[in-house]
Amino acid sequence: MPGVALELTHNYDTEKDEAFKYHPGNQEKDGFGHVAFNCRDVYAACEKLEKAGVSFKKKPDEGRMKG
């Protein structure tokens, strides 16, 4: 999709820290649970992503937040 960007970060030097624990953010009742991006039509974007093989944990109108 043109104009779409997703920024990922790396916590430098954590690979050397034996006490560091990875937090996936998607465990039940834990973490951020989602990645958000802006688009003109969320429903059309979801349909296009699904056709491209992307699976959703929760779609725009499933849950407390609505489209």
Side-chain angles (χ1 to χ4, degrees):
M1 288 187 235
V4 175
L6 175 62
E7 180 180 342
L8 303 176
T9 62
H10 174 72
N11 298 318
Y12 290 96
D13 293 327
T14 57
E15 63 276 0
K16 299 172 189 170
D17 182 356
E18 292 185 24
F20 179 78
K21 293 184 180 180
Y22 175 72
H23 188 280
N26 257 343
Q27 294 173 350
E28 190 66 32
K29 299 183 185 224
D30 186 27
F32 53 86
H34 71 280
V35 173
F37 59 94
N38 188 17
C39 60
R40 292 176 195 228
D41 183 336
V42 69
Y43 303 104
C46 286
E47 184 176 337
K48 187 173 183 177
L49 288 166
E50 276 189 305
K51 286 180 181 177
V54 174
S55 62
F56 289 82
K57 186 171 180 104
K58 189 179 347 178
K59 288 185 159 183
D61 289 336
E62 298 172 353
R64 293 179 295 172
M65 301 298 288
K66 304 299 177 196

